[in-house]
Amino acid sequence: QVQLVESGGDSVQLGGSLRLSCVARGYPESMAWFRQAPGKEREGVAAMTTDGVRTAYTDFVSGRFTISHDANTLHLLMNSLKPEDTAMYYCAAAAEWLPLSDLLRPSSYDHWGQGTQVTVSS
């Protein structure tokens, strides 16, 4: 059983930066960040296999966000934040080593954190 605890969410101004962290208890092979804004579906943001071999980003964060993993913690460094990045951000983990095509699919993950809120004001 994998347990996930996120931290790092905050309120920032347009153009600001935040670093989210997710501590995992257990040894997942794949981890990801998803986000969900009010009234919208949960969407993939960035994901990786914990060995660092595979990394995936959704188009709207490419070049602004960076996912990384060290020891038992997943990080998401978010730069150049925009109001449309406002959402609850969730960490997810899978016991399996996922193929690239599945890394950003919510259905690929069995374990989820409680979420951390990111709010960006203009």
Side-chain angles (χ1 to χ4, degrees):
Q1 183 73 11
V2 177
Q3 294 180 327
L4 305 170
V5 179
E6 303 106 328
S7 63
D10 206 344
S11 296
V12 297
Q13 297 282 333
L14 172 68
S17 298
L18 284 174
R19 188 186 192 217
L20 305 184
S21 296
C22 172
V23 178
R25 292 186 179 180
Y27 301 95
E29 296 288 344
S30 303
M31 297 185 72
W33 289 99
F34 291 82
R35 70 186 188 187
Q36 188 166 18
K40 295 187 177 181
E41 293 186 355
R42 189 167 296 189
E43 58 184 0
V45 175
M48 64 182 296
T49 53
T50 55
D51 60 4
V53 171
R54 293 177 174 168
T55 304
Y57 293 92
T58 194
D59 289 345
F60 55 75
V61 303
S62 182
R64 298 190 297 127
F65 292 8
T66 303
I67 192 171
S68 62
H69 180 267
D70 62 79
N72 63 338
T73 304
L74 184 73
H75 302 285
L76 184 68
L77 176 62
M78 305 187 293
N79 294 319
S80 303
L81 283 163
K82 306 173 182 180
E84 50 264 44
D85 294 318
T86 295
M88 184 71 78
Y89 282 70
Y90 296 92
C91 177
E96 305 80 23
W97 197 74
L98 295 170
L100 194 60
S101 58
D102 291 344
L103 277 173
L104 289 174
R105 292 180 179 174
S107 60
S108 299
Y109 298 89
D110 297 324
H111 307 283
W112 294 84
Q114 294 299 308
T116 186
Q117 178 68 37
V118 172
T119 302
V120 185
S121 57
S122 58

